[in-house]
Amino acid sequence: MSNSVKIRFDHITKTFTTGSTSVTAVEDFSFDVLQGEFLAIVGPSGCGKTTLLRMLADLETQTEGTIEVVRKDASRPECSIIPQGDSIFPWMTVQENVEFGLRLRHISRSERRERATHYIEVTGLKGFEKSYPHQLSGGMRQRVSVARAFVNDPEILLMDEPFGALDEQTKFTLQQELLRLWEQTKKTVVFITHGLDEALTLADRVLVMTPRPGRISTVIDVPFERPRDVLELRQEDEYGQLINKIWAALHGPAEKGTEAA
């Protein structure tokens, strides 16, 4: 595997079987995610986007094929996942939620506090350390999820529509925060979204999947320079053209293989 490749999906197929019924969610999926790349995956509902993420996180096992991850530092977690909706513990404070992964890894209390304090500040949660989730807005709860993922310093960050349930203003704010954090850390990110605008705003490449069984329809390189501003980006002429290109890939005839744009 090339030194620049972080994740390799090699002819992945996933079939779910219940009794006499079988459903293939993903079929013959092959793709390389690069070290430090921000990859967005879009596709119709049920095309296997979340299944791919769950297989990468070892929450599901592929029926065929292999998934390889190049590890750089075995002392760090391989990946952290931010799922759809609330994923923080309602009985823990903001501080306790952010420190949770570090505590499981037996990181010293002083180091946990130092690292958590940093990400609480950079995600705009300073002053809410002792608050419980029910005292926070939906956007603030997602900030806790983001802080908890980054503080654990995983090699790969997996995000499954983390901002999908938020209002547009909060979504824009958190997209900008995520861009800023990614610029600082350059983590490898696999980001699932239904938002074509969100994919273009955040990603280096956008992978478009076909309807189930999920295959690769096309891969679009995002040409916009970094650092990016969420609102300014939407004024770019090429931004609208790329939205149309992704839309056409989603609603045009399914294609096998990849088409680098």
Side-chain angles (χ1 to χ4, degrees), residues 78-235:
E78 181 176 298
C79 64
S80 289
I81 186 166
I82 303 177
Q84 303 176 41
D86 289 344
S87 62
I88 58 177
F89 301 115
W91 60 87
M92 292 185 183
T93 65
V94 167
Q95 185 84 37
E96 291 167 341
N97 265 290
V98 175
E99 290 185 13
F100 180 72
L102 299 177
R103 184 159 61 85
L104 289 182
R105 293 168 56 199
H106 306 292
I107 303 297
S108 69
R109 182 171 183 173
S110 59
E111 185 178 347
R112 291 201 312 261
R113 184 56 52 95
E114 180 181 355
R115 289 167 62 171
T117 296
H118 170 72
Y119 280 102
I120 284 171
E121 289 181 355
V122 299
T123 53
L125 291 165
K126 185 174 175 59
F128 294 91
E129 293 89 342
K130 296 182 180 180
S131 298
Y132 288 89
H134 74 272
Q135 298 171 310
L136 306 175
S137 67
M140 293 183 73
R141 290 195 295 272
Q142 282 302 81
R143 288 173 185 264
V144 177
S145 297
V146 170
R148 185 173 64 183
F150 272 93
V151 77
N152 215 25
D153 196 23
E155 293 195 30
I156 303 167
L157 187 60
L158 309 176
M159 307 184 76
D160 187 3
E161 297 188 69
F163 310 143
L166 303 176
D167 63 87
E168 287 301 302
Q169 182 178 343
T170 303
K171 187 183 299 185
F172 285 173
T173 300
L174 289 180
Q175 287 171 354
Q176 194 67 60
E177 291 291 335
L178 179 58
L179 282 171
R180 185 168 58 84
L181 282 171
W182 183 86
E183 287 289 346
Q184 294 173 1
T185 62
K186 292 296 194 292
K187 290 191 179 299
T188 304
V189 178
V190 181
F191 190 102
I192 305 298
T193 181
H194 277 105
L196 310 190
D197 55 345
E198 185 167 66
L200 285 180
T201 296
L202 299 173
D204 297 307
R205 289 190 292 171
V206 179
L207 187 157
V208 183
M209 295 184 68
T210 67
R212 189 178 69 234
R215 299 185 179 188
I216 299 174
S217 170
T218 190
V219 181
I220 295 173
D221 294 320
V222 179
F224 307 119
E225 294 184 0
R226 297 183 185 273
R228 298 174 183 168
D229 181 276
V230 170
L231 294 178
E232 288 182 3
L233 195 61
R234 284 159 171 74
Q235 300 176 29

Side-chain angles (χ1 to χ4, degrees), residues 54-72:
R54 288 179 59 82
M55 288 189 288
L56 184 53
D58 288 331
L59 299 174
E60 296 280 357
T61 302
Q62 61 269 24
T63 308
E64 298 177 15
T66 59
I67 300 174
E68 299 177 68
V69 175
V70 176
R71 297 299 306 273
K72 299 293 185 181

Side-chain angles (χ1 to χ4, degrees), residues 196 200 220-224 237-247 261:
L196 310 190
L200 285 180
I220 295 173
D221 294 320
V222 179
F224 307 119
D237 291 338
E238 195 170 5
Y239 182 87
Q241 296 169 10
L242 287 172
I243 290 284
N244 290 334
K245 187 171 185 177
I246 298 173
W247 180 266

